[in-house]
């Protein structure tokens, strides 16, 4: 887990994780899922998509630039996985999040009553 977190943009090879951990593939998978709830590849993908989301929200980089920055080799694959994770394509999702942040909070019941 630490190696994946420390190397989020490095292509993940399960063999590398097996060597680092000193475990067989089956043992690594079993222990990894027990700790994280994800396979190593799923966990890596989650980190990539979370980092991509942060990069997209932080600046004016295009989705394809961000896709390559977080380690994807295909902008279309990145977009498909982003939609699966966040429910909307990158540009629309970022727009929705920014609108939600900028929207004024709805008045509470007490504010509406004038208390």
């Amino acid at each position: 887990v630490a190696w994946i977190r420390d190397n989020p943009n490095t292509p993940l090879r399960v063999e590398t994780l097996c060597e680092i951990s000193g475990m067989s593939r089956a043992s690594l998978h079993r222990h990894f899922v027990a700790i994280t709830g994800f396979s190593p590849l799923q966990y890596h993908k989650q980190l990539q998509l979370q980092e991509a989301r942060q990069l997209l929200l932080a600046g004016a980089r295009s989705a394809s630039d961000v896709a390559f920055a977080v380690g994807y080799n295909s902008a279309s694959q990145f977009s498909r996985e982003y939609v699966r994770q966040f429910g909307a394509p990158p540009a629309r999702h970022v727009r929705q999040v920014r609108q939600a942040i900028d929207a004024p909070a709805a008045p509470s019941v007490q504010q509406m009553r004038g208390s």
Side-chain angles (χ1 to χ4, degrees):
V1 171
W3 187 90
I4 293 172
R5 266 192 270 132
D6 292 343
N7 300 280
N9 300 333
T10 303
L12 182 64
R13 296 194 54 220
V14 174
E15 293 78 20
T16 302
L17 296 178
C18 291
E19 290 173 18
I20 291 168
S21 66
M23 294 183 200
S24 70
R25 210 176 166 95
S27 182
L28 171 74
H29 189 270
R30 186 174 54 255
H31 285 88
F32 204 96
V33 170
I35 291 170
T36 66
F38 297 102
S39 73
L41 295 174
Q42 290 169 327
Y43 184 79
H44 184 247
K45 188 180 297 186
Q46 293 288 319
L47 289 180
Q48 284 180 306
L49 291 170
Q50 290 297 331
E51 181 181 358
R53 181 178 189 234
Q54 290 176 352
L55 290 172
L56 288 165
L57 288 168
R61 294 174 77 172
S62 71
S64 60
D65 286 346
V66 168
F68 295 116
V70 300
Y72 278 84
N73 294 322
S74 162
S76 61
Q77 180 67 26
F78 166 72
S79 186
R80 282 190 299 274
E81 292 181 6
Y82 196 97
V83 169
R84 269 187 232 121
Q85 177 70 27
F86 299 112
R92 184 178 344 142
H93 180 248
V94 168
R95 201 168 39 252
Q96 291 169 341
V97 170
R98 286 183 178 151
Q99 286 173 349
I101 291 169
D102 292 340
S108 69
V109 173
Q110 288 179 344
Q111 289 172 329
M112 290 173 35
R113 291 183 185 157
S115 316

